[in-house]
Amino acid sequence: MRVRARFPLAVLAAALLAATPASADSASDAARLERRLDPETSARVMEIVDAAREAGLPTAPLVARALEGASQQARNESILVEVQKLSAALGEARRSLGHESKETEIVAGASALVAGVPTDSLARLRASRPAESLTISLVVLCDLVARGVPQPTASGAVLSAVRAGGTDRDLLRMREHVHDQIRRGAAPGGAAERGLRELLGRRLSARGPAGAPGKERAR
Amino acid sequence: MPEREEGEWLERVRGEYRSSGPASDASRERLLHRLASEPAPARASASPFRWLGQQSLSVQGGIACAALLLAAASGIGAFRGLDLAASARRAALAPASGPLAAVPEAGTVTFALRAPQVSSVALVGDFNAWDPRATPMRRQGQGDLWTAQVELADGLHSYAYVIDGEQWQPDPGAPLSPETPFGLRSSVIVVGEKEAL
């Protein structure tokens, strides 16, 4: 009898233990939102946040997006649309990048999707760099698109850089190069092309003649 | 470069985007040589005055010297996340400004903005609930350099500057986040990607 009586209690205790962190997170998120949004908008944002949490998606960016909207005095409906859009993008990013992806990769991927980068670009980047972080690559891609580089050119440039073995440092430097040229008045697409070319040239020169594929034709 | 050739080069870059599959060493070498061997398209209509205005002086890169002076003058012992050696190297490579794109580990990060003729600057971001009252930036002396320090955890953080309590502006040198219908842009900083620095 004792054993029977204890079993449901153990199950209940385990369930409570398992549920507590998520509940605490949810309560904390709700409190932060209620301080800045009206009760109805806050509750509707929390529905999206809780659904994302159940799906195993990062939720901090959703709360942050709602608070960002509140700080920018956006309309409540606009805030809800943006939070929902970001939640969907997080799910898409995780599908495209793989379920083993780091949280920062998923968040960066979602930003790229929101910027207009298609999901297959994310999948191609992952295929080109399966074992290393894509966070910086995705941040650079998002930045290029945000600065007016046409999306196919931006995706092609970042993908080419990654496939050529470009490191995160190389990508950040390419971004700075592109940014600098745009600031000086260059067309964004041309700036991205020159940024990529500079990266590729640097990698070639760093490798030296010994590393060059002497027997392979360029085309 | 003639327009036609420039178009062909661009089409090859886009073709790389459309092609599938991971890169082999051989294809990587082919790509490197094919693209790097062709001359860059020549087109630029630079305006000599575009650099004027508020200049970012975030801790990486161009303000390495300023950061060192600040640290020495104000007794700030250590700027965690400030890779001074890397900053010095980057300053030599890109002396115009020092964009803050990534810091290697969680900790205190110093944000700095050169903003002439303003009376207040606040730092807002996901780390302070985007609250303009939470992190006012401090003017350094009587100059136009404004700084603030915040604790950042590992991850991707969005932030912006609020000038004079109303003008919301991204960090001029940092990566941009996508535009939202909220209408105002913000910047991005990556914390904890050690291999990036």
Side-chain angles (χ1 to χ4, degrees):
Chain A
M1 288 295 284
R2 274 189 175 180
V3 172
R4 278 187 184 176
R6 280 179 182 171
F7 178 71
L9 283 175
V11 170
L12 182 62
L16 280 173
L17 277 174
T20 299
S23 300
D25 288 346
S26 183
S28 169
D29 289 341
R32 292 173 69 204
L33 290 168
E34 284 164 5
R35 281 197 289 269
R36 305 283 294 281
L37 298 169
D38 69 64
E40 185 189 342
T41 306
S42 175
R44 290 175 66 188
V45 169
M46 278 309 298
E47 287 174 15
I48 302 170
V49 169
D50 286 338
R53 183 175 286 114
E54 281 179 26
L57 292 169
T59 57
L62 301 174
V63 176
R65 178 56 53 87
L67 296 174
E68 181 184 1
S71 285
Q72 295 186 9
Q73 300 176 336
R75 290 182 302 110
N76 291 338
E77 202 54 43
S78 176
I79 290 172
L80 287 167
V81 166
E82 281 304 299
V83 173
Q84 184 63 63
K85 190 196 292 185
L86 182 57
S87 177
L90 287 165
E92 282 292 319
R94 187 175 61 178
R95 272 189 290 280
S96 303
L97 294 170
H99 284 253
E100 302 303 315
S101 301
K102 293 192 304 182
E103 186 170 312
T104 51
E105 291 178 304
I106 294 169
V107 176
S111 285
L113 293 177
V114 170
V117 173
T119 53
D120 67 333
S121 284
L122 270 56
R124 286 164 206 253
L125 274 170
R126 172 54 77 211
S128 300
R129 200 190 248 192
E132 294 173 59
S133 173
L134 283 174
T135 303
I136 296 290
S137 310
L138 292 164
V139 165
V140 170
L141 174 54
C142 188
D143 179 66
L144 295 183
V145 174
R147 292 187 189 280
V149 177
Q151 183 279 126
T153 304
S155 294
V158 172
L159 192 55
S160 297
V162 168
R163 286 181 176 175
T167 62
D168 283 347
R169 190 190 291 261
D170 290 331
L171 285 158
L172 288 173
R173 186 169 160 176
M174 180 175 82
R175 187 201 77 80
E176 290 167 27
H177 190 87
V178 174
H179 181 195
D180 190 47
Q181 287 189 59
I182 293 173
R183 200 166 43 194
R184 292 166 187 267
E193 292 164 34
R194 281 188 288 275
L196 171 63
R197 201 183 299 269
E198 194 258 350
L199 181 150
L200 297 175
R202 200 172 55 252
R203 288 201 63 75
L204 270 180
S205 61
R207 197 165 307 177
K215 291 179 183 175
E216 285 187 357
R217 289 175 59 84
R219 295 184 193 179
Chain B
M1 174 184 253
E3 194 174 330
R4 184 167 151 274
E5 289 179 29
E6 182 183 320
E8 285 174 1
W9 194 90
L10 178 58
E11 189 53 38
R12 286 191 206 107
V13 173
R14 288 177 173 163
E16 182 68 18
Y17 154 62
R18 286 195 291 268
S19 72
S20 58
S24 65
D25 287 345
S27 66
R28 177 175 298 170
E29 293 297 342
R30 278 197 299 276
L31 172 72
L32 273 168
H33 279 268
R34 192 181 70 200
L35 295 178
S37 63
E38 295 170 20
R43 61 178 180 207
S45 55
S47 162
F49 303 109
R50 286 192 177 238
W51 59 274
L52 286 172
Q54 286 152 354
Q55 296 287 314
S56 166
L57 282 176
S58 304
V59 291
Q60 299 289 327
I63 64 152
C65 294
L68 278 169
L69 288 172
L70 278 175
S74 59
I76 300 169
F79 281 48
R80 283 187 64 193
L82 172 60
D83 180 347
L84 292 175
S87 296
R89 285 195 299 274
R90 289 179 60 178
L93 293 171
S97 65
L100 179 63
V103 292
E105 59 186 27
T108 303
V109 175
T110 300
F111 291 83
L113 178 75
R114 195 171 286 288
Q117 299 178 334
V118 304
S119 57
S120 73
V121 182
L123 176 66
V124 291
D126 52 21
F127 40 82
N128 65 8
W130 296 95
D131 184 352
R133 294 163 302 182
T135 314
M137 297 181 79
R138 295 179 60 186
R139 189 201 298 263
Q140 300 301 318
Q142 297 301 309
D144 54 9
L145 180 62
W146 299 76
T147 64
Q149 292 185 308
V150 292
E151 292 287 322
L152 292 185
D154 281 349
L156 196 64
H157 299 279
S158 297
Y159 69 98
Y161 300 114
V162 181
I163 312 291
D164 287 339
E166 54 186 22
Q167 185 190 348
W168 186 293
Q169 163 169 320
D171 190 327
L176 286 173
S177 65
E179 191 171 13
T180 69
F182 303 153
L184 302 170
R185 273 263 161 78
S186 52
S187 301
V188 174
I189 178 172
V190 181
V191 178
E193 296 278 320
K194 292 184 177 61
E195 59 271 27
L197 293 169

